[in-house]
C-alpha cells in the first residue's frame, strides 16, 4: 500500500485556476500555504512544471478526507499524465519531497509532480524566478 501523503500543488490546481474546480473543489480539503525546493517554469502549453533545483516553488499543501484520498490521487495522476514510477509515458513524475509551511514553523513530507523532460523545460519553458506561478500568470493577464 502506498503512503498517504498530502499533495503539494503549485499551478492550475490552485484555487482560482481552471483545474481547481474539477479536481480539488468537489472534495472536502484543507489548503495550507507552503513551499518546496525546485526550479519553476511556465510551459508553452499554459501550465507550469518544476524541476529539481535549489530555488523555492510556492504553492499549497492539500489534505483530503481519508475516504476521498485514493479517488483524488488517481484523478490527479491522470491529470498530470502519471502512469507509475518511471513509466516512459509519464509527463510528470509523482515524487516525495519536503515542504516547508509558509509560516516556516513546520516541514513535512508531501507528494509533488515534477516534470519529466528537463531538457524540454529548459529549452522551451519560461523561468518563474520568484517561484510563484499564480503571481506570474496574473502579471501576464491584460488589465
Amino acid at each position: 500500500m502506498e503512503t498517504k501523503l498530502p499533495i503539494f500543488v503549485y499551478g492550475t490546481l490552485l484555487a482560482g485556476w481552471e483545474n481547481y474546480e474539477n479536481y480539488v473543489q468537489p472534495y472536502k480539503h484543507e489548503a495550507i500555504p507552503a513551499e518546496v525546493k525546485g526550479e519553476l517554469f511556465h510551459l508553452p502549453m499554459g501550465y507550469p512544471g518544476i524541476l529539481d533545483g535549489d530555488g523555492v516553488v510556492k504553492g499549497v499543501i492539500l489534505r483530503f478526507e481519508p475516504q476521498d484520498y485514493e479517488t483524488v490521487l488517481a484523478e490527479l495522476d491522470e491529470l498530470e499524465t502519471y502512469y507509475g514510477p518511471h513509466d516512459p509515458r509519464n509527463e510528470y513524475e509523482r515524487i516525495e519531497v519536503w515542504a516547508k509551511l509558509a509560516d516556516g514553523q513546520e516541514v513535512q513530507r508531501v507528494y509533488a509532480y515534477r516534470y519529466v523532460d528537463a531538457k524540454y523545460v529548459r529549452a522551451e519553458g519560461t523561468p518563474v524566478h520568484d517561484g510563484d506561478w499564480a503571481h506570474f500568470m496574473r502579471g501576464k493577464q491584460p488589465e
Side-chain angles (χ1 to χ4, degrees), residues 1-2 10 12 28 44 47 55 62 83 87 97 104 118-119 137:
M1 186 171 121
E2 269 188 287
Y10 53 90
T12 65
K28 186 174 180 185
Y47 50 80
L62 297 175
Y83 296 95
D87 189 299
V97 297
K119 184 177 178 181
M137 290 301 291

Side-chain angles (χ1 to χ4, degrees), residues 43-45 115 117-125:
L43 303 175
M45 299 80 78
Y115 205 82
D117 189 349
K119 184 177 178 181
Y120 168 77
V121 170
R122 291 188 191 290
E124 302 297 329

Side-chain angles (χ1 to χ4, degrees), residues 10-12 14-17 40 42 48 57-59 127-143:
Y10 53 90
T12 65
L14 295 169
W17 298 94
L40 181 65
H42 176 71
V57 178
K58 299 172 185 172
V128 179
H129 296 292
D130 72 352
D132 187 335
W133 184 80
H135 179 258
F136 171 83
M137 290 301 291
R138 283 191 295 271
K140 292 176 61 94
Q141 305 301 320
E143 295 297 319

Side-chain angles (χ1 to χ4, degrees), residues 28-42:
K28 186 174 180 185
H29 66 280
E30 181 181 12
I32 306 159
E35 57 188 43
V36 299
K37 284 182 72 173
E39 291 183 63
L40 181 65
F41 292 83
H42 176 71

Side-chain angles (χ1 to χ4, degrees), residues 3-141:
T3 307
K4 292 186 177 182
L5 296 175
I7 303 158
F8 177 80
V9 299
Y10 53 90
T12 65
L13 291 164
L14 295 169
W17 298 94
E18 62 267 23
N19 286 320
Y20 176 82
E21 186 176 315
N22 294 322
Y23 294 92
V24 178
Q25 189 175 19
Y27 302 100
K28 186 174 180 185
H29 66 280
E30 181 181 12
I32 306 159
E35 57 188 43
V36 299
K37 284 182 72 173
E39 291 183 63
L40 181 65
F41 292 83
H42 176 71
L43 303 175
M45 299 80 78
Y47 50 80
I50 59 173
L51 300 176
D52 288 335
D54 292 327
V56 171
V57 178
K58 299 172 185 172
V60 299
I61 295 171
L62 297 175
R63 295 180 193 273
F64 294 96
E65 295 291 312
Q67 68 271 14
D68 296 328
Y69 183 84
E70 294 300 329
T71 300
V72 172
L73 191 61
E75 289 179 1
L76 295 182
D77 284 351
E78 184 176 339
L79 173 69
E80 304 293 358
T81 319
Y82 172 72
Y83 296 95
H86 311 293
D87 189 299
R89 300 170 293 171
N90 289 348
E91 181 178 12
Y92 289 85
E93 194 75 34
R94 179 168 28 98
I95 59 171
E96 293 184 24
V97 297
W98 290 102
K100 181 170 69 171
L101 300 188
D103 65 12
Q105 297 300 309
E106 186 179 340
V107 176
Q108 59 186 257
R109 205 79 174 142
V110 297
Y111 283 133
Y113 291 92
R114 179 184 63 210
Y115 205 82
V116 171
D117 189 349
K119 184 177 178 181
Y120 168 77
V121 170
R122 291 188 191 290
E124 302 297 329
T126 302
V128 179
H129 296 292
D130 72 352
D132 187 335
W133 184 80
H135 179 258
F136 171 83
M137 290 301 291
R138 283 191 295 271
K140 292 176 61 94
Q141 305 301 320

